[in-house]
Amino acid sequence: MSTAAAPGIDDRVLDELAQVVGADHLLTAKPARLHRARVPAPFPVHRWAEHTPDAVVLPASTEEVAEVIRVANRHRVPVVPRAGGTGLTDGAVPLRHGILLDLKRLDAIFEVDLEDRTATVGAGVNMLKLNEVLGKHGLIYPDDPASYPCSLVGGRIGTGGWSLVGSRYGHTRDLVLSFVHVLPTGDVIRAGDGGARKISKSSTGYNLKHLLMGHQGTLGVATEATLKLYPRPEAELSPFWAFEDYDTAHRALREIVRCDVATFAGAVLFDEQKVAYLRRDDEAYIPQPANVRALVCAVLYGNEDEVRAGGTRLLRTARANGARYLGDEISEGDWAARHDRYATPLHGRTKAGQVVPMSWHCEDAAVNWTRLPAVRREWHRIVDELRRDSDVFDDWGMFAYTSARTGVDYLTEIDVGIWEQELDDAAWEAWVRAKREIAQVAVAHGGSISACHGACRAGEVDIVPEELGGAYDVMRQLKRTLDPNNVMNPGKYGLDGAYQEDLT
Amino acid sequence: MSFRPREETVPPEARQITDVAVMRFEHIYEVDPKLMQEHVRQQPFPNWDTLRVAHSRHDHLAWMHTHWATVVVSGDALLRELDAETGPAD
């Protein structure tokens, strides 16, 4: 079977793309292409050229997106969709060059339905900007990643996004009712619960909505979405508590979640290495006494009387479980900053303590509450070994965020500073080995490689077949069926193998 | 902003807060300059700009609260109510 594995685009393809999107929206200059080669995920900066697209297109409609993909199929050229480019896996990073499909011009708000409380928007709409419009109507679309001010609805669908307030409102998969999806062949369908646009529960047919979310651009591209809206909260409360050790904080977290407060929107556990990291540079934590070694925060949104009642219950429970309230200033300031982690200036330390410029890399997994301490120990051991051998890496500690209001599982992340200017092949290989081990630990403890980012990054992607078992074979069959020419984001998730073996 | 340029280019005396951080303006912490000698050097920064950056950050955080909800409930106030009901924690 012929595939689009070979890089390079000839003038004939460029002419056809220009006819589709207009010459002004076809970019071939080097800066436009280099810009769109990487995301904030780990990236081998010393091999930047390997990931540069051959051309960038900025379509303005579903029809233009579909036609771009048809051109790609005719000429067997790879297509990589990109929305905000804020993903923490490498879904938007081209592995085979080709056409970069930038969705930012799909930025229309088509409808705000005040009666059924939905909004229909283009894939290039940002949640913050959408909520500025919805706020005038007393409504909110509560999809809240750490990239809230800069990520886009289309990227949230393509990556299966996780939300900070998902324990109250659900995550992207719950908040998106349906979407217009361009398949890898260029055919256009609506994916939802059933075939309707604004239905949250249907039993008609297969549930294609979940299949076509979180595929990292390997199964096509969403161009327009209909979203579920909530009343804008009257009140917010975000208490932060300090603990003398991680184990006490871990137990207190369980008790706080078990309060089952209706306005509870999420909780976060900071481990000892995270507190030590914050104590270097973060204005909230620099002055904290030395006996502050772990933290928990919770956040509540809803009607003011309910937030007050629920908050009182959480404060009482936290106090009974060894917590010390850090005060309103830290609590309110730190929570507000969590909506926008991408604005954080970043630097790390050499082992001698000197400041070096570092970028932030975050390895995540979904882990049950009971397994958090063991996973934490093993992940820090892996990063400690990296740091022992090289100043390129710095352990910035771990967070664990509730994914659901019952507290069953947590988005668990270890943050690692990387001195990118010093990356070379040896350091990159060490990093990829470490990522593979980090993923193996999560799976060995009954978890999943990623709760939020996706699992197609180098290293961890090798463990995906182990985690998914027979389901991985189904993934490959689906990929080959829906994308017969392997044009959509080839190379991701090891899916090139679907075209090289007899899968029958 | 000060009247004379030199008053903006001479920062207030640093006070050591921890072994890695100093403070020149109230509640604005800086990395201890001795940790910025080899790979990243500190740059001259006018006082007004330091304050502008800090104030802008506070403005941004305040904006984010009002973006998400009308009222921010005070945990300190709820704790005082709790203490009044049950007595303060040990």
Side-chain angles (χ1 to χ4, degrees):
Chain A
M1 187 172 291
S2 113
T3 72
I9 293 183
D10 63 32
D11 290 345
R12 201 163 36 115
V13 178
L14 293 176
D15 287 344
E16 289 185 33
L17 291 173
Q19 283 172 27
V20 175
V21 296
D24 288 348
H25 302 117
L26 168 66
L27 311 178
T28 54
K30 213 169 177 182
R33 295 184 294 114
L34 289 170
H35 253 18
R36 293 168 174 87
R38 74 165 298 182
V39 293
F43 185 76
V45 289
H46 60 299
R47 302 205 309 250
W48 200 298
E50 294 173 22
H51 300 292
T52 308
D54 297 308
V56 176
V57 292
L58 291 107
S61 67
T62 297
E63 292 70 31
E64 287 186 8
V65 171
E67 195 51 43
V68 167
I69 292 177
R70 288 185 202 116
V71 170
N73 271 281
R74 278 200 295 278
H75 298 279
R76 306 291 194 267
V77 178
V79 181
V80 180
R82 181 182 180 97
T86 58
L88 295 175
T89 188
D90 57 0
V93 175
L95 298 184
R96 306 274 189 274
H97 308 282
I99 302 165
L100 193 298
L101 189 64
D102 189 321
L103 301 176
K104 289 189 189 66
R105 289 181 69 226
L106 300 174
D107 59 354
I109 297 175
F110 296 109
E111 179 193 65
V112 177
D113 179 345
L114 299 178
E115 295 301 317
D116 289 321
R117 295 203 300 202
T118 66
T120 298
V121 303
V125 166
N126 162 253
M127 284 80 74
L128 184 151
K129 301 307 288 181
L130 174 62
N131 281 332
E132 286 186 318
V133 174
L134 297 175
K136 295 171 188 161
H137 303 290
L139 294 169
I140 195 165
Y141 176 60
D143 190 8
D144 185 21
S147 55
Y148 176 69
C150 48
S151 53
L152 308 180
V153 167
R156 301 290 290 160
I157 293 171
T159 60
W162 180 98
S163 169
L164 285 163
V165 294
S167 297
R168 166 105 163 80
Y169 298 104
H171 302 283
T172 308
R173 66 186 182 196
D174 310 300
L175 292 165
V176 173
L177 291 167
S178 70
F179 53 94
V180 174
H181 186 83
V182 182
L183 290 163
T185 52
D187 294 333
V188 180
I189 63 166
R190 176 171 296 281
D193 253 49
R197 186 155 65 98
K198 301 179 181 177
I199 297 298
S200 69
K201 173 66 181 78
S202 162
S203 291
T204 303
Y206 294 169
N207 190 334
L208 297 182
K209 184 177 96 173
H210 285 200
L211 171 64
L212 297 174
M213 295 182 90
H215 53 80
Q216 303 290 344
T218 60
L219 293 182
V221 55
T223 56
E224 176 188 313
T226 298
L227 314 171
K228 190 193 292 182
L229 307 182
Y230 282 80
R232 182 170 171 274
E234 285 177 9
E236 169 193 281
L237 171 67
S238 56
F240 276 60
W241 297 286
F243 295 84
E244 293 194 1
D245 60 78
Y246 174 83
D247 291 337
T248 306
H250 177 242
R251 285 192 297 273
L253 172 67
R254 177 188 61 188
E255 299 308 314
I256 287 164
V257 173
R258 284 184 178 185
C259 287
D260 196 28
V261 165
T263 50
F264 174 77
V268 190
L269 168 65
F270 302 45
D271 83 342
E272 295 179 13
Q273 285 87 341
K274 176 58 73 180
V275 174
Y277 166 70
L278 294 172
R279 221 188 272 284
R280 296 176 190 170
D281 301 313
D282 189 303
E283 72 269 13
Y285 301 103
I286 285 169
Q288 291 300 320
N291 65 358
V292 174
R293 297 189 192 88
L295 299 164
V296 171
C297 83
V299 63
L300 298 84
Y301 283 105
N303 297 324
E304 186 174 353
D305 52 350
E306 294 177 293
V307 167
R308 285 183 180 279
T312 301
R313 181 180 283 260
L314 292 194
L315 287 161
R316 188 189 299 124
T317 300
R319 191 160 71 178
N321 283 277
R324 179 172 67 80
Y325 182 56
L326 281 174
D328 286 354
E329 188 177 348
I330 290 178
S331 296
E332 293 169 13
D334 196 321
W335 177 253
R338 290 211 164 256
H339 303 289
D340 185 13
R341 302 311 284 172
Y342 285 51
T344 309
L346 299 167
H347 58 264
R349 302 283 198 275
T350 62
K351 290 190 283 293
Q354 282 292 309
V355 170
V356 289
M358 284 189 165
S359 58
W360 165 55
H361 294 306
C362 171
E363 296 298 309
D364 85 312
V367 175
N368 294 119
W369 177 84
T370 50
R371 300 304 185 100
L372 289 175
V375 168
R376 171 180 171 256
R377 278 193 298 275
E378 292 183 50
W379 279 13
H380 279 305
R381 177 188 55 73
I382 293 165
V383 177
D384 285 349
E385 284 175 14
L386 270 179
R387 182 159 171 79
R388 191 182 57 219
D389 297 335
S390 169
D391 270 334
V392 170
F393 306 102
D394 193 5
D395 186 342
W396 290 356
M398 285 178 61
F399 290 121
Y401 299 81
T402 48
S403 281
R405 77 177 272 179
T406 63
V408 55
D409 60 334
Y410 288 77
L411 186 176
T412 307
E413 67 175 44
I414 187 161
D415 296 322
V416 180
I418 298 189
W419 190 0
E420 288 193 330
Q421 289 94 329
E422 297 295 311
L423 264 183
D424 55 18
D425 282 337
W428 180 252
E429 286 310 314
W431 173 239
V432 170
R433 268 198 310 277
K435 283 154 48 61
R436 193 178 295 121
E437 287 178 40
I438 285 170
Q440 278 170 326
V441 168
V443 173
H445 283 278
S448 177
I449 294 168
S450 176
C452 173
H453 307 158
C456 57
R457 294 169 284 197
E460 67 201 25
V461 71
D462 304 336
I463 312 303
V464 171
E466 181 185 326
E467 178 185 332
L468 296 183
Y472 184 68
D473 293 331
V474 175
M475 250 178 84
R476 295 201 301 176
Q477 288 165 6
L478 284 167
K479 170 68 174 171
R480 195 164 80 171
T481 301
L482 293 178
D483 187 4
N485 297 318
N486 194 19
V487 294
M488 287 309 305
N489 216 351
K492 297 286 162 59
Y493 270 127
L495 290 169
D496 280 357
Y499 300 84
Q500 293 158 0
E501 298 168 22
D502 182 2
L503 298 176
T504 56
Chain B
M1 191 181 294
S2 305
F3 184 69
R4 296 184 177 85
R6 69 172 175 277
E7 291 169 0
E8 287 294 339
T9 53
V10 179
E13 201 61 33
R15 186 151 62 90
Q16 196 78 35
I17 299 298
T18 69
D19 55 345
V20 296
V22 301
M23 184 168 72
R24 298 179 192 274
F25 298 95
E26 195 64 20
H27 299 310
I28 299 176
Y29 300 104
E30 297 175 27
V31 174
D32 190 322
K34 72 175 183 288
L35 301 178
M36 301 181 72
Q37 301 295 321
E38 293 178 26
H39 309 288
V40 177
R41 299 290 185 125
Q42 284 194 317
Q43 299 172 30
F45 214 64
N47 296 338
W48 67 266
D49 216 8
T50 299
L51 295 170
R52 181 194 61 78
V53 170
H55 293 158
S56 296
R57 181 68 178 155
H58 291 146
D59 288 349
H60 172 70
L61 297 178
W63 180 91
M64 195 61 91
H65 285 297
T66 54
H67 176 74
W68 276 89
T70 307
V71 173
V72 176
V73 173
S74 160
D76 282 325
L78 292 183
L79 269 178
R80 282 194 295 275
E81 291 171 16
L82 201 56
D83 289 345
E85 286 172 20
T86 62
D90 294 334

